[in-house]
């Protein structure tokens, strides 16, 4: 059974088909958040601290950390800022971290200060990226997110995206990186623009699980981009992708409707033993009045235990953290 191990200094998490769904909190990301970007540039990390604590309290299994505040000279500005952000977050929470950057120098700088076994987010099928990122993953013995696009961009053909994922897995093996340390992002398209985007990702997940035998992730909110009441779409999408074989997602754990869907899927998928986490989280749950969604008591173990920012720059996606 495929198992990807990530860890902080004190806590180890297993991502796998037989494990609770891994919720990777997306909020520490200045993409599309002008106020947060301005704060981070000024050396103000109040919002970073708030977002880190709130996401873990809401049930995040891991936190994605991104410091891509500007496209101007990122090779100079991003490494130091990402290191500072990593150090602050590591001092606040005990969950594993995902190092999220499109700047190779920033990834390596963050790996040098990371405690435990972080996840690198990410590598694509582009030769330049493969040659830059895979040796770092081997050197530091860390898993990596593999995004299914290459020099030709994002294909609308799911077979092509599968072929790119397979290429990345094979190239990683050339570097001595096992498939269980590759977490493939099959690229979720907005359902409002591409009517069969859901069916595409379900079919891809089946192949990734059964043919490549790799764990998977996605930017969850990409599916609902451009639609009203996005959280309803997201909440419906969660149990469907989990049922199809997805094992993690970069998402906002502070959305009760979406986290409820994750917890329910864990129960129904048999990864919440004896329904214990569901009971712990919702035994004092009170129905909402007036059509509002009731908020469950926070549980740090609720999910079993994005960047979409730099990723948007790498894949052409226009979706950003909600």
């Amino acid at each position: 059974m495929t198992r990807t191990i990530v860890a902080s200094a004190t806590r180890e998490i297993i991502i796998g088909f037989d494990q609770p769904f891994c919720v990777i909190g997306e909020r520490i990301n200045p993409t599309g958040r002008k106020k947060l970007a301005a704060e981070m540039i000024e050396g103000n990390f109040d919002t970073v601290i708030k977002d880190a604590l709130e996401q873990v309290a809401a049930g995040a299994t891991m936190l994605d950390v991104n410091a891509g505040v500007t496209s101007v000279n990122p090779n100079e500005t991003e490494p130091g800022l990402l290191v500072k952000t990593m150090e602050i977050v590591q001092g606040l929470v005990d969950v594993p971290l995902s190092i999220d950057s499109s700047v190779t120098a920033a990834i390596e700088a963050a790996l040098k200060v990371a405690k435990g076994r972080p996840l690198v987010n990410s590598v694509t099928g582009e030769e330049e990226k493969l040659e830059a990122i895979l040796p770092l993953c081997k050197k530091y013995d860390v898993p990596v997110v593999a995004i299914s696009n290459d020099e030709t961009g994002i294909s609308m053909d799911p077979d092509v995206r599968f072929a790119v994922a397979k290429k990345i897995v094979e190239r990683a093996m050339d570097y001595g990186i096992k498939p269980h340390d590759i977490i493939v992002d099959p690229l979720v398209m907005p359902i409002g623009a591409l009517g069969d985007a859901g069916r595409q990702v379900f079919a891809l997940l089946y192949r990734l699980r059964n043919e490549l035998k790799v764990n998977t992730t996605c930017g969850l909110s990409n599916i609902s981009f451009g639609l009203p009441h996005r959280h309803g779409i997201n909440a419906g999408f969660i149990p469907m992708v989990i049922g199809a074989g997805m094992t993690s997602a970069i998402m906002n754990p502070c959305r009760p409707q979406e986290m409820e869907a994750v917890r329910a899927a864990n129960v129904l998928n048999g990864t919440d033993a004896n329904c214990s986490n569901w009971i712990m989280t919702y035994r004092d749950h009170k129905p909402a009045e007036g059509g509002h969604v009731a908020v469950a008591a926070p549980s740090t173990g609720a999910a079993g235990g994005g960047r979409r920012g730099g990723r948007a720059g790498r894949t052409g996606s226009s979706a950003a953290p909600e």
Side-chain angles (χ1 to χ4, degrees):
M1 185 64 71
T2 302
R3 293 187 168 192
T4 305
I5 296 175
V6 291
S8 65
T10 58
R11 185 174 177 186
E12 180 179 284
I13 296 294
I14 299 172
I15 302 172
F17 306 120
D18 61 343
Q19 300 295 311
F21 192 68
C22 179
V23 173
I24 306 173
E26 71 177 5
R27 294 291 293 165
I28 303 174
N29 183 346
T31 302
R33 302 178 69 190
K34 293 182 180 180
K35 178 176 179 290
L36 175 58
E39 287 180 357
M40 293 176 72
I41 290 171
E42 294 171 358
N44 177 353
F45 292 89
D46 289 349
T47 300
V48 168
I49 292 168
K50 176 175 175 288
D51 284 344
L53 295 173
E54 286 184 351
Q55 289 184 104
V56 173
T61 319
M62 297 178 61
L63 295 182
D64 192 69
V65 179
N66 179 292
V69 296
T70 177
S71 59
V72 180
N73 297 324
N75 288 305
E76 297 177 11
T77 60
E78 195 166 326
L81 189 56
L82 183 57
V83 165
K84 179 64 174 177
T85 308
M86 287 279 296
E87 290 175 334
I88 288 172
V89 175
Q90 286 181 144
L92 289 172
V93 299
D94 69 343
V95 298
L97 302 183
S98 168
I99 299 170
D100 189 354
S101 179
S102 59
V103 178
T104 302
I107 290 175
E108 183 161 25
L111 283 169
K112 290 178 179 178
V113 301
K115 298 177 180 178
R117 193 171 197 248
L119 174 66
V120 168
N121 183 9
S122 58
V123 68
T124 67
E126 299 165 275
E127 286 299 321
E128 181 181 355
K129 287 297 183 182
L130 292 168
E131 293 174 5
I133 302 301
L134 293 180
L136 286 179
C137 296
K138 177 61 177 177
K139 177 180 177 180
Y140 290 92
D141 186 28
V142 293
V144 63
V145 173
I147 301 181
S148 303
N149 72 289
D150 58 16
E151 290 89 350
T152 64
I154 302 173
S155 173
M156 293 299 103
D157 184 343
D159 289 336
V160 173
R161 298 210 297 276
F162 177 83
V164 174
K166 184 178 180 181
K167 169 188 172 181
I168 298 173
V169 170
E170 290 173 347
R171 289 292 297 277
M173 291 177 68
D174 291 341
Y175 283 95
I177 301 169
K178 303 293 186 184
H180 63 248
D181 275 335
I182 306 295
I183 299 178
V184 173
D185 183 342
L187 290 173
V188 171
M189 302 294 154
I191 193 75
L194 187 66
D196 65 345
R199 294 193 300 273
Q200 280 192 8
V201 76
F202 304 146
L204 269 168
L205 288 169
Y206 180 86
R207 295 190 67 189
L208 290 167
R209 173 173 179 162
N210 293 286
E211 294 181 38
L212 292 187
K213 302 186 187 321
V214 292
N215 281 310
T216 45
T217 196
C218 71
L220 187 84
S221 64
N222 285 359
I223 192 67
S224 62
F225 184 73
L227 292 176
H229 191 49
R230 295 183 66 184
H231 309 304
I233 296 289
N234 296 345
F237 187 56
I238 287 167
M240 296 184 77
V241 290
I242 292 176
M246 187 166 279
T247 50
S248 69
I250 301 170
M251 57 182 285
N252 185 352
C254 299
R255 300 293 184 185
Q257 186 177 4
E258 295 172 28
M259 286 302 293
E260 185 174 282
V262 169
R263 296 183 180 108
N266 285 337
V267 169
L268 298 171
N269 208 29
T271 56
D272 181 0
N274 302 313
C275 307
S276 58
N277 188 62
W278 180 271
I279 293 169
M280 178 180 67
T281 305
Y282 295 110
R283 60 189 165 196
D284 298 322
H285 180 76
K286 291 180 173 55
E289 295 181 0
H292 297 290
V293 177
V295 179
S299 169
T300 56
R307 145 191 154 153
R308 292 285 84 177
R311 178 163 304 182
R314 295 194 291 279
T315 66
S317 169
S318 56
E322 293 183 273

